Amino acid sequence: MSEHLTTVAGVTIDTRHFIGGERVASTETFTDVSPIDGSSLGEISRGTAMEGAAAVAAAKAAFPGWAATPPAERARILRAVADGVDERAEELAIVETNDNGALLRSHRRGIMPRVAHNFRFFADWLLKLDHEDFTTRGHTNHVSWDPAGPCVLITPWNAPLMLATWKVAPALAAGNTVVLKPAEWSPLTASLLADIAAGAGLPAGVLNVVQGYGSEIGDALTAHPDVRRISFTGSVPTARHIAASAAAHLTPLSLELGGKSPLLVFADADLDLAVDLAVEQYDNAGQVCLAATRILVEETVAAEFTRRFTDKASRLRQGDPRDEATDIGPTIHPRQLEKIDGFVQRALAAGARAVVGGRRGEGHYYAPTLLTDVAQDSEIVQEEVFGPVLTLQTFTDEDEAVRLANGTRFGLAATVATGDPERAERVTARLVAGTVWVNCFFVRDLQAPFGGSRQSGVGREGGNWSFDFYCDVKNTVTAPKGWKVHG
């Protein structure tokens, strides 16, 4: 086997970059490690500024042709990419599970179908993208969406392919070219996506994939003068660096950042439903930006809620994510595990009480944890842990519930459990969040705007919002008196 190929669960993956339709190796590599057992999944080409610049140059060269491609043809190719994802869905699922530790059953049943849907949705939306013409003093206004140019898309490790294609699909549908930089802890399915896209007929240079550390390749991408859009999902500190890097050329940014979302449980809620919603926050070992990690319960039902929560959480099975019976898999990386445990141990030392968990397991696993007796201004309440760690606080009325819910620097999402529709309307109107769920969680439609408030992000994507970001929106105004031809 070539030194640039690796095999994961029988699936062969090229570990080189994909630039201008060709595989390109770097002189240095980094080791990709499975969180399941710490085994090596392969030596991955470690990009530098040179590969970053080459990828942007390839995207720039391919842009005029792809931008001029009729929308119907762009849509056809995107649907072919979706078909390719469907054909390789099982391979993608098993590779992703080995690479980031999320449940195989979730990848099979939900994630990979959603990846294909991302391409089909934006292909369809492209063909119906329209703004009704309107008149101003007899003049006709016509709104159109012009492709912006090469886009740099930087994606996280917790849902690698799904979150990448949330960005890739609309960027390509809009007529842009793309440089995709996946997280170094989970790069493998991005490489497979490059193969699938090429097989679907996507022209060379329209989608480029570069791997490596942000500190070594990131600035070459985000500070490049030929990049016209940057979309990033990740941490607030990294976003600040990207924003500073992009500022020199005023490159527009879309940033989906951290969260410390609340789940508000009122006394009139269906407690069994509320408990189900709370336990669901352990999904993907708590490595979900939208997770409602701060459980806020009305004081009169807090004891009963805690009893039911403890009972349900105790029945969760943690183990190998390839096992269909597993409910919670591993934490992605030893560094992340140390970070999680540090948060918990500092909270316990400060007086918090672990009602559930509060300890490390073997390997990369951290026990599902619920901490009580925590202060609103404590680190564990204010900072994103990004692991299977929840806190529980109580409130006495709506005003206090909203004050606690809004009492962080974040504003990505919120969940409300109540049996009173009027209360739901009052409370949701006061919550600072990009998405609010009432008596449900993680219902996500690509037609809807998605993004965060405060330090949870900048901008919105989804439906028309995606095209507004990935395009230069143009208004053409035509005089009412017709045309006079000069000969």
Side-chain angles (χ1 to χ4, degrees):
M1 180 178 291
S2 166
E3 64 176 315
H4 300 302
L5 299 177
T6 190
T7 300
V8 177
V11 181
T12 300
I13 306 157
D14 200 309
T15 59
R16 295 172 291 180
H17 313 287
F18 188 76
I19 300 174
E22 298 181 353
R23 291 291 177 174
V24 177
S26 294
T27 56
E28 301 290 333
T29 63
F30 64 93
T31 304
D32 183 27
V33 175
S34 174
I36 299 174
D37 55 12
S39 63
S40 172
L41 298 178
E43 294 298 314
I44 313 300
S45 278
R46 181 172 168 175
T48 64
M50 180 175 68
E51 288 87 358
V56 173
K60 181 181 180 181
F63 174 66
W66 183 243
T69 301
E73 177 63 8
R74 294 205 302 264
R76 184 194 67 77
I77 293 174
L78 291 184
R79 292 192 192 100
V81 175
D83 292 342
V85 170
D86 284 339
E87 290 168 6
R88 301 191 67 179
E90 178 63 18
E91 294 180 357
L92 292 167
I94 191 64
V95 169
E96 195 91 299
T97 291
N98 277 274
D99 205 11
N100 88 324
L103 300 183
L104 179 57
R105 72 180 190 219
S106 295
H107 283 135
R108 283 172 169 161
R109 299 172 191 172
I111 303 301
M112 295 312 156
R114 183 57 179 267
V115 168
H117 174 67
N118 287 342
F119 284 102
R120 292 193 179 100
F121 174 89
F122 284 106
D124 293 343
W125 200 271
L126 166 65
L127 298 183
K128 64 181 181 182
L129 187 66
D130 186 46
H131 189 294
E132 185 176 348
D133 288 354
F134 57 98
T135 60
T136 304
R137 298 189 300 277
H139 296 66
T140 300
N141 293 261
H142 176 73
V143 177
S144 57
W145 287 261
D146 294 350
C151 301
V152 166
L153 312 179
I154 303 173
T155 55
W157 45 259
N158 58 322
L161 193 57
M162 184 175 71
L163 294 180
T165 55
W166 274 5
K167 303 175 187 294
V168 170
L172 295 181
N176 299 316
T177 51
V178 165
V179 178
L180 171 63
K181 194 279 184 192
E184 61 267 23
W185 287 352
S186 55
L188 298 181
T189 51
S191 181
L192 293 175
L193 177 64
D195 293 335
I196 291 170
L202 195 69
V206 174
L207 174 63
N208 307 275
V209 178
V210 290
Q211 302 143 161
Y213 300 116
S215 60
E216 296 176 348
I217 194 173
D219 286 350
L221 299 175
T222 57
H224 200 292
D226 292 331
V227 171
R228 295 313 315 137
R229 295 292 188 273
I230 299 170
S231 181
F232 168 73
T233 298
S235 71
V236 172
T238 302
R240 290 195 183 105
H241 182 82
I242 289 172
S245 182
H249 304 290
L250 297 178
T251 307
L253 298 166
S254 178
L255 304 173
E256 195 263 280
L257 309 178
K260 195 69 178 176
S261 301
L263 165 56
L264 291 75
V265 180
F266 289 93
D268 57 17
D270 178 335
L271 274 194
D272 286 333
L273 170 63
V275 167
D276 287 345
L277 293 173
V279 173
E280 190 177 350
Q281 308 311 312
Y282 290 132
D283 182 50
N284 200 19
Q287 299 167 132
V288 179
C289 57
L290 292 162
T293 56
R294 294 185 296 129
I295 313 299
L296 309 176
V297 186
E298 193 161 355
E299 198 171 72
T300 56
V301 295
E304 180 60 18
F305 174 91
T306 304
R307 185 189 68 78
R308 297 190 198 186
F309 178 94
T310 302
D311 178 65
K312 189 174 183 66
S314 68
R315 289 183 268 118
L316 293 172
R317 291 189 57 176
Q318 188 168 33
D320 192 324
R322 296 166 295 192
D323 186 337
E324 282 280 318
T326 296
D327 297 307
I328 301 178
T331 300
I332 190 164
H333 193 276
R335 273 170 39 200
Q336 187 65 18
L337 188 69
E338 290 293 334
K339 176 185 173 184
I340 294 167
D341 193 49
F343 273 115
V344 172
Q345 298 311 316
R346 289 191 297 274
L348 294 174
R353 182 168 62 92
V355 177
V356 177
R359 64 189 181 281
R360 300 172 58 156
E362 295 182 3
H364 290 189
Y365 294 83
Y366 203 90
T369 296
L370 176 67
L371 301 177
T372 62
D373 301 333
V374 293
Q376 177 68 12
D377 62 354
S378 64
E379 178 192 55
I380 197 66
V381 170
Q382 292 294 320
E383 299 298 327
E384 185 177 44
V385 177
F386 221 63
V389 179
L390 311 179
T391 60
L392 190 149
Q393 298 167 271
T394 62
F395 61 85
T396 57
D397 56 27
E398 285 184 20
D399 286 342
E400 186 178 18
V402 171
R403 179 179 61 79
L404 293 173
N406 289 339
T408 74
R409 61 194 171 102
F410 297 105
L412 187 55
T415 304
V416 178
T418 178
D420 183 345
E422 293 182 356
R423 166 172 279 155
E425 186 174 350
R426 287 194 306 269
V427 171
T428 58
R430 298 172 63 191
L431 293 175
V432 179
T435 300
V436 181
W437 288 286
V438 178
N439 294 329
C440 60
F441 177 67
F442 213 45
V443 178
R444 169 86 173 96
D445 193 310
L446 287 176
Q447 297 181 75
F450 180 78
S453 303
R454 295 177 175 168
Q455 292 194 26
S456 284
V458 175
R460 297 290 184 271
E461 296 186 39
N464 269 27
W465 292 274
S466 285
F467 286 93
D468 288 346
F469 173 69
Y470 287 111
C471 293
D472 291 321
V473 182
K474 178 192 295 178
N475 185 43
T476 301
V477 185
T478 303
K481 294 184 179 181
W483 304 96
K484 182 177 180 180
V485 178
H486 299 274

